[in-house]
C-alpha cells in the first residue's frame, strides 16, 4: 500500500472529544463491518501517525514505508480492536512504536556496520507528554500543508531536507534574501496559527 496523503481538511483535527469521539467510534465500527470504509480513519489520522514516525526516522522514504505498514497492520487487525473510550489514534500509535522498533531491528540486521538511519525509540509505552508532542507535530504538519506552495516548499527544503538558504535560492531561482523572507513569513504564520489553536 503506497502511502497516500489524505486530502487537506479545512482545519487540523485534535484529539476526539464529545461528539467527535462518538463520530470516531462510528467510523471504527463501520470499518470493522466493511474494510472499504477504513479510508475515513486513514484520512483522519494519517498526519498524526506520519508525524510520529517521521520524528523517529531520519529518512522520508523509510518514514513513509513504516507509516504504510502501520495502516496495513491496523486494517489487518481491526476486527480485534475493542473501543474503550480512548482515541483510536492511541492504538495506531502503539502499532507505530512497534513498527519503528521492528524497522530498526531489520535495518541493523541488513546493515550491521552501516549508518543507523533510525532515531532511538525511548520505549514501547506512550506517555501522555509524548502523545501531546505527537498531536502538536500532527497539527504543525497540517498547517504546513495549508501554506502557499512556495512557502511550503521553502519550509520543507529548509527544515526537512536541511538545505542552506543559499542552496534553496539556487534551486528555486531566487535571491537568498527572498528565501529568508519566505521562510520568515511561513514561520510567523505557523507560529501565529499554533498559538491561536491553543487558546
Amino acid at each position: 500500500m503506497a502511502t497516500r496523503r489524505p486530502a487537506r481538511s479545512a482545519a487540523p483535527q485534535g484529539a476526539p472529544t464529545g461528539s467527535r469521539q462518538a463520530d470516531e467510534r462510528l467510523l471504527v465500527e463501520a470499518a470493522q463491518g466493511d474494510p472499504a470504509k477504513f479510508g475515513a480513519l486513514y484520512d483522519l489520522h494519517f498526519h498524526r501517525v506520519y508525524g510520529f514516525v517521521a520524528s523517529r526516522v531520519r529518512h522520508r522514504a523509510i518514514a513513509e514505508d513504516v507509516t504504510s505498514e502501520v495502516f496495513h497492520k491496523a486494517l489487518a487487525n481491526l476486527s480485534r480492536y475493542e473501543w474503550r473510550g480512548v482515541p483510536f489514534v492511541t492504538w495506531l500509535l502503539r502499532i507505530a512504536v512497534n513498527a519503528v522498533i521492528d524497522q530498526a531491528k531489520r535495518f541493523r540486521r541488513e546493515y550491521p556496520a552501516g549508518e543507523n538511519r533510525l532515531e532511538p525509540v525511548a520505549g514501547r509505552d506512550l506517555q501522555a507528554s509524548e502523545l501531546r508532542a505527537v498531536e502538536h507535530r500532527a497539527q504543525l504538519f497540517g498547517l504546513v500543508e495549508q501554506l502557499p506552495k512556495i512557502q511550503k516548499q521553502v519550509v520543507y527544503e529548509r527544515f526537512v531536507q536541511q538545505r542552506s538558504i543559499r542552496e534553496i535560492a539556487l534551486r528555486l531561482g531566487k535571491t537568498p534574501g527572498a528565501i529568508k523572507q519566505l521562510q520568515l513569513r511561513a514561520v510567523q504564520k505557523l507560529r501565529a496559527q499554533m498559538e491561536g489553536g491553543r487558546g
Side-chain angles (χ1 to χ4, degrees):
M1 171 178 182
T3 302
R4 171 184 59 89
R5 291 178 189 266
R8 257 189 301 184
S9 56
Q13 299 287 330
T17 57
S19 66
R20 283 201 348 229
Q21 194 170 29
D23 291 345
E24 185 181 49
R25 182 176 186 170
L26 292 174
L27 289 175
V28 170
E29 290 171 354
Q32 285 175 321
D34 179 3
K37 295 184 178 175
F38 185 74
L41 290 166
Y42 176 92
D43 290 346
L44 185 63
H45 297 301
F46 173 83
H47 288 293
R48 287 185 190 94
V49 174
Y50 181 76
F52 176 82
V53 172
S55 73
R56 282 153 176 73
V57 177
R58 292 184 200 154
H59 296 281
R60 182 179 179 182
I62 296 173
E64 289 175 351
D65 289 347
V66 172
T67 301
S68 179
E69 182 182 334
V70 169
F71 284 102
H72 268 296
K73 287 181 178 178
L75 181 58
N77 294 293
L78 191 60
S79 62
R80 294 194 301 227
Y81 174 79
E82 292 180 30
W83 183 266
R84 295 181 181 163
V86 177
F88 183 71
V89 73
T90 304
W91 185 64
L92 291 173
L93 292 175
R94 289 186 192 284
I95 296 171
V97 167
N98 292 328
V100 169
I101 290 169
D102 291 345
Q103 174 63 31
K105 288 177 184 174
R106 277 193 306 270
F107 185 84
R108 282 194 284 276
R109 275 194 309 269
E110 293 173 17
Y111 306 98
E115 172 191 347
N116 182 3
R117 298 183 185 196
L118 299 173
E119 297 291 336
V121 177
R124 289 178 173 261
D125 294 328
L126 292 173
Q127 303 298 322
S129 62
E130 190 172 16
L131 283 173
R132 281 194 299 275
V134 169
E135 289 290 331
H136 184 266
R137 279 192 292 281
Q139 181 185 12
L140 185 58
F141 268 87
L143 292 173
V144 168
E145 286 292 316
Q146 296 175 26
L147 288 173
K149 185 177 179 181
I150 188 70
Q151 287 182 5
K152 181 168 48 174
Q153 186 170 359
V154 168
V155 166
Y156 176 77
E157 293 200 18
R158 186 79 174 115
F159 299 108
V160 177
Q161 296 183 334
Q162 298 185 340
R163 290 195 166 110
S164 69
I165 295 287
R166 186 175 179 180
E167 286 177 302
I168 299 168
L170 288 171
R171 286 173 54 81
L172 300 181
K174 296 190 176 294
T175 65
I179 297 300
K180 286 179 185 177
Q181 278 299 313
L182 287 164
Q183 177 183 313
L184 177 65
R185 288 186 191 126
V187 169
Q188 287 174 334
K189 185 174 184 177
L190 291 169
R191 182 179 294 129
Q193 289 178 311
M194 291 295 287
E195 289 171 357
R198 290 183 199 142

